[in-house]
Amino acid sequence: MGHLARLLALGTLDALGAWLAARLYLDGAVWPAVALVAGLVGTTWVFTSRRAYPLRYVWPGLVFFTILVVYPIGYTIAVAFTNYGTGHLLSKRQVIEQFESALYVPEGASRVPYAAFEGPSGTIELVARVGPERWLLLKDDRAEVLDPQEAGVEDLDGDGRAERFGGRTALTGAQLARRLSQLRAARFEWGDSVLRVVSLRDLEQARHAYDYDPASDTLVDRRTGDVYRPVKGYFTNDVGQFLEPGFVAPVGLENFVRLFTDPAISRPFVRVFVWTFVWAGLTVAIQFVAGLALALLLDDPYLRLRNLYRSILILPYAIPAFISALIWVGLLNTEVGVINDILQGLFGIGRIPWLQNPFWARVALFLVNLWLGYPYMMIVTLGALQSIPSELYEAALVDGARPWDVLRTVTLPLLMVAVSPLLVGSFAFNFNNFNVIYLVTGGGPPMAGAQTPAGHTDILISYTYRLAFQGGQGTQFGFAAAISMLIFVIVAVVSAINFRMTGAFERVSENV
């Protein structure tokens, strides 16, 4: 019964997947269709073959790992080597189709009177008079020549518009007005011309503005005769004029070269790059010192109400970080914030521009992130402290060591064995801590003179986000993807260091 149910489930999955793959293929998404078919074949093999039995336990995880991790990384790498962004959002095929569908009205082109009739299936059919005795039937994007006698075309008042066609009466102006958007979207090919509706009574004779030659990969402007060739994502003529929109095209290492050689970009990028390391390093140091200090206090067995203090100090960890960050934005408001009111009341300090001044904005970020991160450091260091044997403290006291000596020579070395990998991991987390930056300062205040949307508190990940979605000159997905690759390499190096340190400290602990 179980085997039958599994086969039924696999059959249903394969049928749905095959239908979806066919739709993808017909829509031009060849590689997604191929990937889907490969996934279906693999899934069927894993759950029907005895040889693949062990894979059944990890296959769902591998599938989601591929979809959610491997594919985004691969796509980001691919985009980093293209000009994908504002002005280059469409594929080359889509841009060619757009130019091929562009129309122009030749000088002296006359308008053609028409009448509309409702077809058998509710569609609209147009009957147009293009000559003294020449009539056209316009439907399904095509124009057919009509024999007025056979088709039953009747122009009763002689105004050039048929009142009756095939026994049907022409639609009135009010009836046409209700379907005007449908009429305006219609195009009817007729020889080398295209007829389109310009009013409730007339058609316009237009022509295609461009011809595309697949053999030479060129676009010819039929009005001027100019020939346009694809150059860096644009169709460009011999004098350097290009047509918009452009298309997505490979640019090689241009995004990476631009990142380091264009002063208008490299200067703010270097400042953001340095600040990202400062931000991640100082954040971890401040949080660790605060967490360790509180853990040392709470680890004192003679401290009364220790459990109550622990419960209170861990409260910030229980509140969603984004809510805390938004509350802090209100507290740090320059004009009405509580922090400035307290500082002014107690010390007579003037109102500090926490979120407007570059220095104070960075201080505000450290303050907010300390609030969000110290409970984590307190918890991990408190747990590590309790794992240190009490005999070592007793031996140190017997030897006459002072509290500072005990902390420096006994507590910290043993504590670092346990928490060093966590500190490296915390550094990597804060290196990409987008939420705090985005919610508290939004990366601002803005960096003067920068051609990119860089702010004084932007870190690499928030800078990348603003490049991709908030650029004043439009989106720059390719450039943002190149920076993402750089971040990926840095985080990978940090992770490698983390793994290495984990192994090193394990060996140290074996000798303690």
Side-chain angles (χ1 to χ4, degrees):
M1 187 67 182
H3 181 69
L4 182 61
R6 185 168 66 246
L7 289 178
L8 185 61
L10 280 173
T12 305
L13 178 66
D14 287 344
L16 291 174
W19 171 78
L20 182 58
R23 291 295 304 268
L24 289 171
Y25 180 79
L26 292 175
D27 289 342
V30 178
W31 286 111
V34 171
L36 180 57
V37 171
L40 291 173
V41 172
T43 302
T44 305
W45 176 68
V46 166
F47 287 97
T48 54
S49 171
R50 290 183 179 278
R51 295 175 58 188
Y53 189 86
L55 277 176
R56 296 180 188 181
Y57 299 98
V58 297
W59 186 255
L62 288 175
V63 170
F64 283 106
F65 176 76
T66 303
I67 296 173
L68 301 177
V69 178
V70 176
Y71 173 72
I73 291 175
Y75 185 73
T76 301
I77 293 173
V79 170
F81 294 94
T82 68
N83 59 355
Y84 187 33
T86 297
H88 302 274
L89 294 172
L90 303 176
S91 68
K92 186 178 177 182
R93 171 45 51 192
Q94 290 173 317
V95 169
I96 290 171
E97 289 175 354
Q98 200 170 96
F99 283 123
E100 285 183 323
S101 64
L103 303 174
Y104 77 101
V105 180
E107 290 185 11
S110 59
R111 295 196 169 186
V112 178
Y114 77 93
F117 300 85
E118 187 160 354
S121 58
T123 57
I124 287 188
E125 297 176 352
L126 306 183
V127 175
R129 184 177 181 180
V130 293
E133 295 298 330
R134 196 174 188 192
W135 296 80
L136 295 179
L137 171 61
L138 310 177
K139 66 176 184 178
D140 300 331
D141 301 332
R142 290 180 292 106
E144 302 172 7
V145 178
L146 279 179
D147 183 332
Q149 302 297 329
E150 293 181 1
V153 177
E154 300 177 33
D155 179 10
L156 301 177
D157 56 7
D159 64 348
R161 296 177 180 83
E163 278 72 34
R164 293 187 60 80
F165 165 58
R168 290 168 281 165
T169 304
L171 297 176
T172 63
Q175 289 172 315
L176 284 178
R178 288 194 290 270
R179 306 173 79 164
L180 186 59
S181 59
Q182 181 184 350
L183 287 171
R184 286 190 178 279
R187 300 284 188 275
F188 305 97
E189 297 285 344
W190 181 45
D192 60 348
S193 300
V194 177
L195 296 174
R196 60 183 177 184
V197 174
V198 291
S199 71
L200 296 180
R201 299 174 58 82
D202 294 313
L203 297 167
E204 186 178 61
Q205 277 186 286
R207 290 187 176 179
H208 290 286
Y210 298 95
D211 277 334
Y212 176 70
D213 182 7
S216 59
D217 194 18
T218 56
L219 202 64
V220 178
D221 189 332
R222 300 178 70 174
R223 295 160 293 184
T224 62
D226 286 351
V227 178
Y228 293 83
R229 296 177 175 80
V231 179
K232 294 185 176 181
Y234 284 110
F235 278 102
T236 309
N237 64 11
D238 294 336
V239 295
Q241 295 176 325
F242 59 85
L243 302 173
E244 291 184 309
F247 52 87
V248 179
V251 295
L253 296 173
E254 185 176 307
N255 288 326
F256 297 93
V257 173
R258 180 182 166 208
L259 185 60
F260 294 105
T261 58
D262 187 345
I265 295 174
S266 60
R267 285 174 186 166
F269 174 77
V270 169
R271 294 173 71 173
V272 170
F273 187 80
V274 172
W275 162 243
T276 303
F277 277 92
V278 173
W279 155 256
L282 277 182
T283 291
V284 174
I286 294 171
Q287 290 178 349
F288 176 68
V289 171
L292 176 61
L294 292 172
L296 288 171
L297 289 174
L298 296 175
D299 195 45
D300 185 349
Y302 300 105
L303 180 66
R304 293 182 178 179
L305 303 176
R306 281 196 305 168
N307 291 334
L308 175 63
Y309 297 145
R310 287 178 180 175
S311 302
I312 294 174
L313 289 171
I314 208 171
L315 275 180
Y317 208 35
I319 301 174
F322 75 94
I323 293 178
S324 296
L326 294 176
I327 291 173
W328 273 99
V329 171
L331 296 176
L332 292 168
N333 186 283
T334 302
E335 302 301 328
V336 297
V338 175
I339 303 295
N340 272 344
D341 289 344
I342 294 174
L343 292 176
Q344 195 170 34
L346 293 179
F347 308 107
I349 299 175
R351 307 198 78 82
I352 298 175
W354 291 104
L355 305 179
Q356 292 79 34
N357 179 275
F359 172 78
W360 289 113
R362 290 174 175 175
V363 173
L365 284 173
F366 284 124
L367 188 63
V368 174
N369 215 27
L370 172 63
W371 173 263
L372 297 173
Y374 85 83
Y376 170 74
M377 289 297 178
M378 185 185 72
I379 291 171
V380 298
T381 51
L382 187 59
L385 285 173
Q386 293 176 352
S387 67
I388 299 175
S390 60
E391 292 83 1
L392 295 177
Y393 292 115
E394 294 170 0
L397 292 176
V398 170
D399 290 342
R402 293 172 297 177
W404 169 249
D405 296 326
V406 173
L407 176 66
R408 184 173 57 84
T409 59
V410 177
T411 304
L412 282 179
L414 294 175
L415 189 67
M416 294 306 290
V417 172
V419 303
S420 286
L422 300 177
L423 294 181
V424 177
S426 183
F427 178 89
F429 171 78
N430 283 293
F431 196 86
N432 285 326
N433 196 343
F434 174 83
N435 291 346
V436 172
I437 302 293
Y438 185 75
L439 292 174
V440 177
T441 65
M447 205 176 285
Q451 286 190 3
T452 53
H456 284 281
T457 59
D458 263 322
I459 58 176
L460 285 173
I461 190 68
S462 64
Y463 180 53
T464 304
Y465 172 82
R466 296 175 72 182
L467 273 176
F469 301 106
Q470 297 181 345
Q473 298 177 347
T475 56
Q476 302 180 61
F477 296 123
F479 189 50
I483 298 178
S484 297
M485 282 187 62
L486 189 63
I487 297 174
F488 177 79
V489 171
I490 293 171
V491 174
V493 170
V494 172
S495 300
I497 294 172
N498 188 15
F499 292 139
R500 188 175 180 81
M501 290 185 68
T502 304
F505 279 99
E506 282 179 354
R507 287 195 292 275
V508 171
S509 64
E510 290 172 1
N511 299 324
V512 173

